[in-house]
Amino acid sequence: MPELPEVQTVLDGVESILLSRTIIGFENYYGQSFSKVPPEFSPSFPARLKEAKRRGKYMIFTLDNGSSLIVHLRMTGKLVYEPKPEAPHRHERARILLENGEALSFIDIRTFGKMHLIPTEDVIKHLPPLGVEPLSKEFNAKYLKEKIKGKKTPIKNLLLDQSIIAGLGNIYVCELLYRSSVAPTRTAKSLKDKEIKSIVKDTVEVLKEALAVGGTSVSDYRNIDDKTGEFQNFLNVYQKKNCPKGHEIENVKLGGRSSFFCPKCQS
DNA sequence: CAATGATCCTGTCCGC
DNA sequence: TGCGGACAGGATCATT
């Protein structure tokens, strides 16, 4: 499931393709996987990419025709470069049409992903409230401590809250909590200063390590060339039976999501 | 306002 | 062999 490192990897790949090409339009093959917001919005094509950026798990492609394409991959979304695309295959939900018959295919088994083409001036208000970027200097112990104050929600749920920190998902939260020796079930307000500092440090560390190897591929995630990331080879607890020290991993449901942790190493 | 739960969706895996 | 059910889960919306 794409989180910050995977989204960034895809973004970089898409940017490298689009920078040297012209977009001639879009096609949608499934429900609302792709839509114009508002529906009557009708920018002119061809158009070229002006800027590609990421905010949390959202990709934002600003075009030179007054429109922006906002992409969220959710769990199973992929963007794949097709130099010679054929008829849309089974899970292809939409397509970014490029000159010379090329395309970027939006493939999404579970159909939760979304691509929205909107007026560029609407981008900010189109996005939901998003908290700080975990790789920016705004994300620090002081910020996290402030957000944690009085919250009795489990720390894991708080770290997954995109309006507090934008970009973390289930895998990296499980992993960073293991590194910090903090159990995911701990109430946010019970964390000591030392643990808060550790969480900040380990969040940055795990994200940077994953970014360096192209993200984590546990199920469907692929980069733009349909290659897997490598960070799944470095996971300590997520979907593991044993932690690196050989202790048995527990899996508890928090906020409806699997939370892998080692009860011996994390408390 | 905070916290919880249902919802969306399909491929995969497990037990019988 | 085949079938039913559980599971995977980010974000949104409704409810408590």
Side-chain angles (χ1 to χ4, degrees):
Chain A
M1 39 246 63
E3 307 176 30
L4 187 152
E6 294 77 38
V7 174
Q8 185 67 47
T9 302
V10 172
L11 181 87
D12 293 345
V14 171
E15 180 179 28
S16 73
I17 294 288
L18 289 184
L19 277 178
S20 57
R21 287 170 177 80
T22 295
I23 297 171
I24 60 173
F26 296 86
E27 278 178 353
N28 185 37
Y29 311 123
Y30 180 91
Q32 294 301 300
S33 287
F34 169 83
S35 57
K36 290 185 283 187
V37 181
E40 63 271 19
F41 176 55
S42 192
S44 67
F45 287 92
R48 292 184 70 91
L49 181 71
K50 265 170 70 176
E51 188 188 19
K53 59 189 172 185
R54 182 190 55 73
R55 183 74 178 93
K57 299 174 198 168
Y58 291 85
M59 291 182 269
I60 303 161
F61 300 100
T62 309
L63 309 186
D64 66 359
N65 64 351
S67 75
S68 290
L69 180 70
I70 297 183
V71 181
H72 198 304
L73 301 172
R74 293 287 188 100
M75 275 88 71
T76 57
K78 300 191 283 183
L79 278 169
V80 177
Y81 170 59
E82 298 279 3
K84 296 203 187 321
E86 304 193 355
H89 44 288
R90 184 144 72 117
H91 298 125
E92 187 170 357
R93 307 305 180 188
R95 196 175 273 188
I96 305 172
L97 303 172
L98 308 176
E99 61 187 340
N100 301 327
E102 299 182 339
L104 276 169
S105 290
F106 181 46
I107 296 168
D108 185 16
I109 295 173
R110 274 175 263 181
T111 72
F112 288 2
K114 289 277 182 290
M115 297 205 299
H116 288 149
L117 190 68
I118 69 171
T120 294
E121 65 262 29
D122 292 349
V123 166
I124 303 285
K125 68 177 182 195
H126 182 85
L127 295 175
L130 294 169
V132 299
E133 286 289 331
L135 294 180
S136 72
K137 56 179 183 296
E138 283 76 41
F139 177 59
N140 52 42
K142 184 167 174 273
Y143 175 84
L144 188 57
K145 195 176 171 181
E146 181 64 30
K147 292 296 181 184
I148 273 173
K149 204 171 11 173
K151 297 269 179 66
K152 63 177 186 199
T153 193
I155 182 60
K156 176 168 183 265
N157 296 21
L158 186 133
L159 294 172
L160 284 171
D161 186 337
Q162 301 299 299
S163 71
I164 296 177
I165 305 166
L168 294 181
N170 204 28
I171 298 175
Y172 294 113
V173 170
C174 287
E175 291 297 316
L176 77 89
L177 286 174
Y178 176 77
R179 293 187 185 206
S180 291
S181 305
V182 172
T185 47
R186 282 275 295 282
T187 59
K189 64 180 182 181
S190 75
L191 294 184
K192 306 282 177 278
D193 283 2
K194 199 178 159 190
E195 293 172 319
I196 294 173
K197 278 185 187 166
S198 178
I199 285 173
V200 169
K201 177 178 78 77
D202 291 326
T203 300
V204 174
E205 204 175 270
V206 76
L207 290 177
K208 284 187 173 170
E209 287 175 22
L211 264 172
V213 297
T216 304
S217 298
V218 284
S219 57
D220 300 288
Y221 168 71
R222 298 290 185 278
N223 70 11
I224 192 80
D225 303 313
D226 220 21
K227 291 205 180 76
T228 64
E230 296 298 333
F231 196 69
Q232 65 276 14
N233 301 320
F234 303 96
L235 297 176
N236 289 322
V237 289
Y238 186 79
Q239 290 185 345
K240 296 289 180 189
K241 267 190 82 75
N242 300 97
C243 84
K245 293 185 176 173
H247 308 137
E248 204 161 322
I249 296 291
E250 250 182 60
N251 179 1
V252 295
K253 291 275 180 212
L254 289 174
R257 269 159 254 162
S258 296
S259 308
F260 297 89
F261 76 107
C262 173
K264 290 210 169 74
C265 299
Q266 296 167 261
S267 56

